[in-house]
Amino acid sequence: MKKTILAILTIFIAGLSFGQKDSTSRDTLFEKASEGLVRFYYDDHYYLVDKDCDFKSIERLSQFIVAKNAFHGEFKDFDRNGTLILTGYYNQGVKEGVFKAYHPNKALKWEVTFAANRPIGDWKYYYPDGKPMLVVNFEDGSGKINAFWDRLGRERVVAGEGSYEFKMPFEYYNEYGYPFFERKGRIKNGLPYGYWTTNMVDEKNKKALFTEEVYNKLGVLTEGYNLFLDAQYTVPLTIVPSQPFLMSEKLLFKQCSFDDYSGFNAYLSEKLNSAFMTNPSFQHTEDEFAYRVAIDKNGEPETITLSEPLKTSTLNRYLERVLQDIPYYFPSLNQAGEPIADDLTVSGKLSISEAGVFNFHSMKIEREKQP
């Protein structure tokens, strides 16, 4: 994907027509701006999208070095209202100096200094009213929580010691149906310590216990248990705000569909990959598949049919069983924006490495009735 965008940029810089929707390039992901700058169009997860896409929410103005496939100089990101939301500096693709992000009300959201692409010193976060929220220190290279204030202004973590309770949104679709998760536990020497919990949180702030964890004195997870799946795990959810702007450097793009934007197609890939894992009996295969699923107006599947099977019948039998475990699809909408029953065609690709590692990717959903 990066090579594709680099090739387009090469043509653009060479002076050929760019940004026009023709038979070879339907999407305008970036185009020339004044003073030698390039304007890039992103969704709010920092994936490139067409400038006319409904999910476009960020525009970046920056110099760009095509030969290095890298941003250069000062850049500025603006939201859909034209409000500055992020500024910083790249030296031939390397983050250097002060980066600052802003809330929609133009108040400072966070600030940090980078050196050689790494944060140094304190990464300071602020609430929309300007009051301090969080300080993560990077003096030793890894982030440690040095201070934390709750919404009432009480300092709950002081000099890396105290109690921590922080709610964050899920960036993408999750099958649990909750838009937020809340991390809660003790901070010792700037790191999580002892018993921690994660709660799922709905729009009305109702909570459901999701995970229980135990961390050792080095901040390493030693026990993790998912109550929803009744399963253990070794990689915990983050305890500090994620930074989607880092994705902007990868120059990845998404099609202008809600299934792509929401992360649902990525969820389907992950669902299939986790089910198949690794099987050395199947090696170095490239294949494609498709299935049809009839959903009701609530997005619940009613029938699933493998319309374009994989070449290997053994894999098809298991694939059909896995597809039956996908509990939900986003419902289609009519012209009035109301959910309707529909027939979906879901297609994708399968690559199997020489070691037998499965990679389901390039998922795409076509809807029969949605205009």
Side-chain angles (χ1 to χ4, degrees):
M1 202 70 74
K2 288 180 68 176
K3 291 181 180 179
T4 301
I5 295 194
L6 176 57
I8 297 174
L9 273 169
T10 302
I11 295 173
F12 166 46
I13 298 299
L16 298 179
S17 176
F18 182 80
Q20 302 298 319
K21 296 188 179 182
D22 55 31
S23 59
T24 59
S25 178
R26 294 183 56 194
D27 296 325
T28 302
L29 309 176
F30 37 78
E31 54 191 354
K32 185 182 293 185
S34 61
E35 301 178 358
L37 302 178
V38 180
R39 189 184 305 273
F40 293 81
Y41 302 106
Y42 292 102
D43 66 12
D44 53 9
H45 304 307
Y46 277 94
Y47 280 84
L48 288 165
V49 292
D50 179 69
K51 73 173 184 178
D52 296 322
C53 178
D54 289 340
F55 305 117
K56 186 204 75 176
S57 59
I58 298 168
E59 295 187 10
R60 168 169 293 185
L61 280 173
S62 175
Q63 297 180 55
F64 191 84
I65 302 176
V66 176
K68 294 182 177 291
N69 204 31
F71 296 110
H72 181 65
E74 182 184 14
F75 74 91
K76 293 182 179 180
D77 291 354
F78 301 88
D79 67 13
R80 63 179 71 245
N81 297 316
T83 301
L84 181 68
I85 58 172
L86 179 65
T87 185
Y89 184 89
Y90 285 94
N91 181 11
Q92 301 187 54
V94 178
K95 292 183 286 294
E96 297 281 2
V98 177
F99 278 57
K100 292 185 178 182
Y102 299 89
H103 290 286
N105 67 355
K106 302 181 181 181
L108 185 62
K109 184 177 183 180
W110 56 255
E111 57 184 340
V112 65
T113 298
F114 282 91
N117 230 23
R118 295 179 177 274
I120 59 173
D122 289 336
W123 194 317
K124 299 178 180 179
Y125 296 82
Y126 304 90
Y127 289 107
D129 61 4
K131 294 180 180 179
M133 179 178 73
L134 179 66
V135 177
V136 182
N137 183 267
F138 287 87
E139 283 185 0
D140 62 356
S142 61
K144 293 184 177 181
I145 295 176
N146 188 57
F148 169 68
W149 293 261
D150 64 20
R151 288 192 172 275
L152 298 178
R154 298 172 297 187
E155 191 171 6
R156 307 296 296 273
V157 176
V158 181
E161 307 283 337
S163 60
Y164 186 80
E165 184 175 343
F166 196 78
K167 185 172 76 172
M168 290 170 278
F170 279 102
E171 292 293 334
Y172 298 107
Y173 171 82
N174 71 85
E175 65 183 11
Y176 307 116
Y178 290 85
F180 305 98
F181 65 96
E182 179 187 73
R183 303 284 275 133
K184 184 176 181 180
R186 180 183 173 188
I187 297 293
K188 185 177 179 63
N189 296 321
L191 299 171
Y193 177 73
Y195 177 71
W196 274 66
T197 60
T198 307
N199 285 311
M200 293 293 198
V201 186
D202 67 14
E203 295 88 344
K204 297 181 180 180
N205 210 38
K206 292 183 178 180
K207 302 177 183 179
L209 184 61
F210 177 47
T211 71
E212 294 181 299
E213 301 169 338
V214 177
Y215 291 84
N216 65 19
K217 62 181 180 180
L218 298 178
V220 176
L221 179 69
T222 58
E223 297 178 41
Y225 193 77
N226 184 320
L227 280 76
F228 283 26
L229 298 179
D230 191 20
Q232 296 181 341
Y233 60 90
T234 57
V235 181
L237 293 170
T238 182
I239 64 172
V240 298
S242 61
Q243 299 302 334
F245 86 91
L246 298 172
M247 182 63 68
S248 66
E249 303 164 10
K250 297 183 179 181
L251 296 174
L252 300 176
F253 71 90
K254 285 185 175 181
Q255 300 296 327
C256 190
S257 74
F258 188 74
D259 294 301
D260 270 308
Y261 166 75
S262 65
F264 187 79
N265 286 343
Y267 155 78
L268 290 178
S269 293
E270 293 171 4
K271 188 83 170 176
L272 294 173
N273 288 335
S274 62
F276 278 78
M277 299 295 286
T278 301
N279 189 331
S281 299
F282 301 94
Q283 296 179 343
H284 200 54
T285 298
E286 298 289 337
D287 206 347
E288 298 182 2
F289 67 97
Y291 66 94
R292 289 180 59 82
V293 52
I295 60 171
D296 64 20
K297 66 178 183 179
N298 296 315
E300 296 180 2
E302 296 181 330
T303 60
I304 296 176
T305 305
L306 197 58
S307 54
E308 295 182 24
L310 295 166
K311 298 172 185 176
T312 306
S313 59
T314 303
L315 293 180
N316 285 321
R317 288 194 293 271
Y318 189 59
L319 176 60
E320 288 179 316
R321 292 200 297 270
V322 174
L323 294 177
Q324 298 294 331
D325 291 334
I326 297 173
Y328 173 84
Y329 296 79
F330 284 110
S332 298
L333 304 177
N334 60 20
Q335 291 184 341
E338 301 167 335
I340 56 174
D342 200 355
D343 292 314
L344 314 183
T345 297
V346 185
S347 59
K349 298 181 180 181
L350 169 62
S351 300
I352 305 178
S353 71
E354 293 183 358
V357 178
F358 285 71
N359 179 24
F360 287 87
H361 61 95
S362 303
M363 304 299 294
K364 181 180 179 181
I365 297 178
E366 297 179 5
R367 298 171 181 272
E368 188 173 293
K369 297 180 183 178
Q370 181 164 297

